[in-house]
Amino acid sequence: QVQLVESGGGLVQAGGSLRLTCAAAGRLFSSKSAGWFRQAPGKEREFVAAIRWRDDAIVYGDSVKDRFTISRDSARNAVYLQMNSLQVDDTAVYYCAAGAFSVYRAYYPFWGQGTQVTVSA
């Protein structure tokens, strides 16, 4: 079992940056990967980024490529999402998940509660 807690969300102006942290209780790295998803009001949950443990393979959603960076710290049992050049459309609840290396949320059995990111114009 893995318990995930996100932090680092908040209110930021367009063009600004935020760093999200996903801290795990339990063996995060017993899963094959960790990912970040987001959900805006009235929209489906959207894939943002994922990182695979065995080789640090990374994949990003098209809407965040070249602006967001996912990374991990095995010693701290944590995964991070550095978000730069934030846009109003990035406003959403951001969720951390652990599971298989995939862009599809069905492959992630473990989820955090989410952290709100709001980007103002």
Side-chain angles (χ1 to χ4, degrees):
Q1 191 74 13
V2 179
Q3 294 179 322
L4 306 172
V5 178
E6 304 93 337
S7 62
L11 174 64
V12 63
Q13 285 191 323
S17 298
L18 283 175
R19 187 192 194 210
L20 304 184
T21 298
C22 174
R27 296 181 61 232
L28 175 63
F29 298 99
S30 63
S31 298
K32 295 182 179 178
S33 76
W36 287 94
F37 289 75
R38 67 185 184 185
Q39 189 165 18
K43 294 189 177 181
E44 294 288 321
R45 195 166 294 192
E46 175 190 19
F47 172 77
V48 175
I51 184 167
R52 187 166 60 193
W53 308 142
R54 62 177 175 85
D55 59 2
D56 283 330
I58 289 173
V59 60
Y60 293 102
D62 289 341
S63 60
V64 306
K65 206 172 293 185
D66 299 326
R67 299 188 298 122
F68 291 11
T69 302
I70 188 171
S71 62
R72 66 176 176 124
D73 186 333
S74 302
R76 297 180 184 272
N77 216 28
V79 177
Y80 307 99
L81 185 69
Q82 177 66 42
M83 305 186 295
N84 298 328
S85 302
L86 282 161
Q87 303 167 358
V88 173
D89 287 349
D90 294 320
T91 296
V93 177
Y94 283 71
Y95 296 91
C96 177
F101 185 60
S102 174
V103 303
Y104 300 106
R105 61 182 181 176
Y107 287 87
Y108 294 86
F110 304 110
W111 290 83
Q113 298 281 10
T115 185
Q116 176 71 46
V117 171
T118 302
V119 184
S120 63

